[in-house]
Amino acid sequence: MQNKGLIKFFAILFALVCVYQLTFTFKANQIEKEAKSFASKFPKEIQTQKEVSYLDSLAKSKEKVFFGVLMKMLEIINYKKDLTLKEEST
């Protein structure tokens, strides 16, 4: 039982790292919702295209959005959206 403090330290550290990682997920989901609301203004046939172009424009802007992190996380989301768009068109 001598290492009880060490175990608590690592448990708290692990919890903090998990929360930190989840904040990026929440921010990415928020930006995806913004893209969907932007795309909803257009006809249904081109909404997916507009959503992808919205995310693509954010990814290319090099704007720091969250905790000083560039929009690299949106590039991953955009890649997934592109794959979805290609699957829908076939």
Side-chain angles (χ1 to χ4, degrees), residues 25-35:
T25 303
F26 297 142
K27 186 63 178 178
N29 287 339
Q30 177 189 8
I31 293 172
E32 277 188 342
K33 286 180 186 176
E34 289 174 6

Side-chain angles (χ1 to χ4, degrees), residues 31-71:
I31 293 172
E32 277 188 342
K33 286 180 186 176
E34 289 174 6
K36 285 182 192 233
S37 68
F38 170 77
S40 67
K41 299 173 186 174
F42 295 95
K44 206 163 191 87
E45 300 83 31
I46 62 169
Q47 282 184 359
T48 308
Q49 265 183 321
K50 291 297 180 179
E51 185 178 345
V52 169
S53 66
Y54 180 86
L55 292 172
D56 190 40
S57 68
L58 285 177
K60 290 180 181 177
S61 72
K62 304 286 187 209
E63 179 182 346
K64 293 182 179 181
V65 174
F66 195 60
F67 287 137
V69 176
L70 295 176
M71 299 298 298

Side-chain angles (χ1 to χ4, degrees), residues 3-18:
N3 290 329
K4 194 162 62 168
L6 184 65
I7 292 171
K8 283 184 182 179
F9 171 75
F10 280 115
I12 291 171
L13 183 66
F14 182 70
L16 290 174
V17 168
C18 290

